[in-house]
Amino acid sequence: MDEELERLLRRMRLPYIRRAAPEVLATAKAQRWEPAEVLRVLLAEEVAGRDRSALTTRRAKAGFPTGKTFDAWDPGVSSIPAPTQQALRTLEWVARHENLVVCGPAGTGKTFLLEALGQQAVETGLHVAWFTLESLGVLIRRHRADDTVTKAISRILRADLVVVDDIGLLPVGPDAAEGLYRLVDAAYEKHSVAISSNLHPAGFDELMPKTLATATVDRLLHHAHLCQTSGDSIRLSQALTGKGVIALN
């Protein structure tokens, strides 16, 4: 490729055009493309490259725990009704700033569903932030030292969807309880929060002070879709049938 052209592409920060240009220009010359077609193909390469890069960045910033997506999801295994699953996958509830609460026994697909929904949201261009209740408490504790808790919550809520996973799995300290309340309160009717919990939200007063639990649940459930899972642990079932590992030779 011409050195001056490469210099201009570098200066204009068009890396994907610069990468594709030699092959595209050679093809265009051989097939006698119109100038407009050359421009269209090169610009399409740049747009596609930027989209891939932005997706990678959004996925990394989300902090998903495992990388699971709906590609590995079996709707028939979940106890959540299939029509509800399909409605959640449209992500229209995120656009309406509604919440999602998935509660039920351990191993019934709660985290898997939330991560798959989060991954789908990222793929559609939305921003997602993933927390456990413990990591939310750590953040609150870190920012309380310099009185920047409110700013920290505001930064979290730059995301379109905030997920708090595994509530009720471990004891809830005062920092985590405060963090959950602050997050839900700040997001109320402006952002979507999705949580998974071993407990129904009505039982959150077992985890945190009753007054704080009542205020949190009141805001959380006002505009929320509540999905309750049931049945035996999917993980345990897979383990007992030998599907949890690759067989040894």
Side-chain angles (χ1 to χ4, degrees), residues 23-101:
E23 182 178 349
V24 171
L25 293 175
T27 301
K29 183 177 181 180
Q31 297 183 4
R32 298 181 180 179
W33 287 1
E34 292 291 330
E37 178 66 9
V38 178
L39 185 59
R40 185 194 66 78
V41 171
L42 288 174
L43 289 176
E45 286 288 337
E46 185 67 28
V47 169
R50 292 188 181 196
D51 285 346
R52 290 192 301 271
S53 178
L55 173 59
T56 299
T57 300
R58 289 195 304 275
R59 186 169 281 141
K61 288 179 67 175
F64 294 119
T66 65
K68 290 180 179 177
T69 70
F70 280 117
D71 289 341
W73 175 259
D74 183 352
V77 172
S78 175
S79 57
I80 298 173
T84 301
Q85 294 183 45
Q86 288 300 318
L88 291 174
R89 291 182 64 169
T90 66
L91 300 176
E92 292 176 3
W93 55 280
V94 178
R96 294 191 297 262
H97 309 312
E98 295 169 350
N99 298 330
L100 172 63
V101 177

Side-chain angles (χ1 to χ4, degrees), residues 134-175:
E134 184 179 14
S135 66
L136 189 59
V138 169
L139 182 142
I140 294 297
R141 189 160 55 251
R142 186 169 68 244
H143 285 276
R144 183 178 286 113
D146 58 359
D147 198 27
T148 58
V149 172
T150 300
K151 289 182 179 179
I153 294 295
S154 295
R155 282 195 294 272
I156 293 172
L157 290 176
R158 291 173 185 170
D160 301 288
L161 171 64
V162 181
V163 181
V164 183
D165 188 33
D166 275 343
I167 295 174
L169 196 61
L170 295 170
V172 178
D175 295 321

Side-chain angles (χ1 to χ4, degrees), residues 149-217:
V149 172
T150 300
K151 289 182 179 179
I153 294 295
S154 295
R155 282 195 294 272
I156 293 172
L157 290 176
R158 291 173 185 170
D160 301 288
L161 171 64
V162 181
V163 181
V164 183
D165 188 33
D166 275 343
I167 295 174
L169 196 61
L170 295 170
V172 178
D175 295 321
E178 179 187 341
L180 182 62
Y181 167 74
R182 282 179 175 270
L183 176 65
V184 170
D185 180 54
Y188 181 63
E189 295 187 333
K190 297 189 289 291
H191 302 270
S192 289
V193 174
I195 71 167
S196 73
S197 174
N198 287 17
L199 287 175
H200 188 285
F204 279 10
D205 55 0
E206 299 176 24
L207 304 173
M208 60 182 75
K210 184 175 179 62
T211 301
L212 200 59
T214 300
T216 301
V217 172

